[in-house]
Amino acid sequence: DSISAGYGMEAEQSWVSLLEERLEQKFPGEHAVINGSMSGETAAGAVNRLPNLLQSHKPDVVIIELGGNDGLRGQPPQLIERSLDRLVVMSLEVEAETLLFGMKIPPNYGTSYSQAFEANFQRVAERYEIDLLPFFLEGVAGDDSLMQSDGIHPRAEAQILLLENAWPLIKATLQRD
């Protein structure tokens, strides 16, 4: 979604670009990064786009960082889970190592909705025995100095923190291959 698409900043400032740089430093010439992210994308929308991306790029690893827009639009948690489930299944069907990055929703959506939303990520990860980053924006969300004025999108200064949140899972996955 917009977080991985680098909303509100130059593309080279995004955590995905920083990941590309780190991969080149740590594993020179071994890995290419294809960023299929799109600002405003929902998990349901990605279900329609992912098959073409998988066919075109034949990835070894797929990172699913979606669901936030679904939650912000108040989509029923069961529908969000169904979409996340489908994305994971499609990725596993092409034998890609699959990582799921969890999200949380702002507290104004209410406790029961927030809990149901967050539980989706855990259930999907457990169901398919894939690695889960429980909250991708850990240490960033809620810190006004790291968030853009909309309070939703991280600033360029926060991108290295997002990479640091993601790196242990990504590194472990690449070392298993």
Side-chain angles (χ1 to χ4, degrees), residues 50 53-55 57-64 87-100 128-131 173-174 176-177:
L50 186 60
L53 290 166
L54 293 172
Q55 184 178 13
H57 301 291
K58 299 180 182 7
D60 294 321
V61 178
V62 172
I63 298 171
I64 299 170
L87 293 165
V88 169
V89 167
M90 285 188 279
S91 299
L92 293 173
E93 284 175 345
V94 298
E95 299 180 7
E97 289 281 336
T98 304
L99 306 176
L100 183 60
Y128 297 102
E129 299 177 353
I130 62 170
D131 289 332
T173 299
L174 295 175
R176 279 195 300 260
D177 283 351

Side-chain angles (χ1 to χ4, degrees), residues 72-89:
L72 292 173
R73 293 175 185 168
Q75 294 292 323
Q78 312 88 297
L79 294 179
I80 299 169
E81 181 177 349
R82 198 172 319 153
S83 295
L84 292 171
D85 192 279
R86 189 70 195 115
L87 293 165
V88 169
V89 167

Side-chain angles (χ1 to χ4, degrees), residues 1-2 8 30 33 41 44 55 68 74 76 94 101 108 115 133 140 142 155-156 158 160 164 171-174:
D1 61 14
S2 55
E30 292 183 35
V33 175
E41 185 68 281
Q55 184 178 13
V94 298
F101 287 9
N108 59 310
Q115 289 173 346
L133 176 58
V140 174
R155 297 168 49 115
I160 189 65
E164 294 307 325
K171 181 181 176 187
T173 299
L174 295 175

Side-chain angles (χ1 to χ4, degrees), residues 117-131:
F117 175 83
E118 291 172 31
N120 284 331
F121 299 94
Q122 186 69 41
R123 275 194 305 275
V124 171
E126 287 175 0
R127 186 177 302 129
Y128 297 102
E129 299 177 353
I130 62 170
D131 289 332

Side-chain angles (χ1 to χ4, degrees), residues 107 135 137-159 161-162 165:
F135 183 38
L137 298 180
E138 187 69 46
V140 174
D143 183 335
D144 291 341
S145 70
L146 297 174
M147 299 299 285
Q148 294 180 37
S149 61
D150 63 10
I152 296 171
H153 297 97
R155 297 168 49 115
E157 296 81 3
Q159 300 301 304
L161 298 173
L162 297 180
N165 288 345

